[in-house]
Amino acid sequence: MDIEIKVLLEEIQNSSSSKAFSQLFLKFRPLVNFAINNFQFRHYEVDDLLQEARIVCYQSALTFNTNNYPLYGAYFKKSLFNRFNSLLRYDLSHRRAATKADLSYDQFYEEHAAYFHTHLKTELDIDTRLAIEEVLPDIPVIFSNLEYQIFNLHCIQDRSVKEIAQLLEMKEMTVYGAISRCRKKMNSLKINRR
């Protein structure tokens, strides 16, 4: 192991020296740049990834045992790649969940047109029912993606606000706000579903 790296690691482990950490991170900055370019992140800023790399570098420096492992660089590289793999998995899982929740208009209409035609006939007056049926093709355009998802879950699938908040991993107040915006948009079109 490089003597200078060993000294920097000991300073970090013994006194949490920020100067020693800055020097250590600077030595491994080319490895960090290589990792950022290699993983090709799409939804993370470079500054965020650098911060993640700094965290991994610091944690690695604290846990590295200079007596057992001669190469800190290999240890840091493995830790950094593991962290970046975790970030990618997390990002991909959230994108898959969002894609699953999206519906095209055709799917929406096929799945829920029968609901509108049967349930709304008994619950709403004829003018409101006709207005909803008239605007049904425009609902995916009128609402934002979030509003559309919440409209689908709340009005079509008849889920509670609490269920929607848990399903979409958001606060109940956010769901209430989206429902309120949906009502306002529908009211602006003279549609009021109660």
Side-chain angles (χ1 to χ4, degrees), residues 16-181:
S16 299
S17 170
S18 61
K19 184 178 178 184
F21 172 71
S22 296
Q23 291 173 352
L24 180 69
F25 187 74
L26 192 59
K27 285 189 170 294
F28 290 99
R29 181 67 191 265
L31 172 65
V32 171
N33 291 340
F34 171 78
I36 290 171
N37 293 330
N38 188 39
F39 278 86
Q40 299 177 348
F41 290 98
R42 293 183 186 169
H43 300 287
Y44 289 96
E45 297 288 326
V46 173
D47 290 340
D48 295 334
L49 295 170
L50 286 172
Q51 186 63 26
E52 289 290 336
R54 284 185 188 97
I55 292 168
V56 171
C57 184
Y58 185 72
Q59 290 172 340
S60 299
L62 291 178
T63 59
F64 185 74
N65 186 343
T66 55
N67 298 328
N68 293 339
Y69 302 104
L71 299 174
Y72 172 77
Y75 181 74
F76 171 61
K77 180 180 178 181
K78 185 174 183 177
S79 298
L80 181 65
F81 277 48
N82 285 341
R83 178 64 183 145
F84 281 2
N85 276 322
S86 295
L87 287 174
L88 277 179
R89 280 192 302 271
Y90 179 80
D91 187 43
L92 291 173
S93 71
H94 275 22
R95 273 193 268 157
R96 278 193 305 272
T99 303
K100 250 186 206 180
D102 287 346
L103 287 174
S104 70
Y105 164 70
D106 294 332
Q107 290 172 317
F108 176 81
Y109 193 78
E110 286 174 17
E111 293 175 11
H112 306 297
Y115 173 87
F116 279 105
H117 293 296
T118 57
H119 292 84
L120 294 181
K121 287 179 183 175
T122 58
E123 296 174 13
L124 301 173
D125 62 79
I126 192 153
D127 292 333
T128 305
R129 179 172 39 86
L130 289 174
I132 287 177
E133 288 178 3
E134 182 180 311
V135 79
L136 185 60
D138 297 326
I139 285 177
V141 176
I142 295 169
F143 296 155
S144 69
N145 288 338
L146 176 67
E147 293 165 349
Y148 179 68
Q149 285 179 322
I150 291 175
F151 174 81
N152 180 31
L153 292 169
H154 186 65
C155 296
I156 307 302
Q157 297 180 21
D158 201 29
R159 296 202 183 195
S160 71
V161 171
K162 187 174 184 177
E163 288 176 314
I164 295 169
Q166 289 173 345
L167 182 69
L168 298 179
E169 299 177 353
M170 59 180 56
K171 295 180 182 178
E172 288 182 27
M173 290 304 297
T174 305
V175 176
Y176 280 120
I179 291 170
S180 174
R181 288 191 304 277

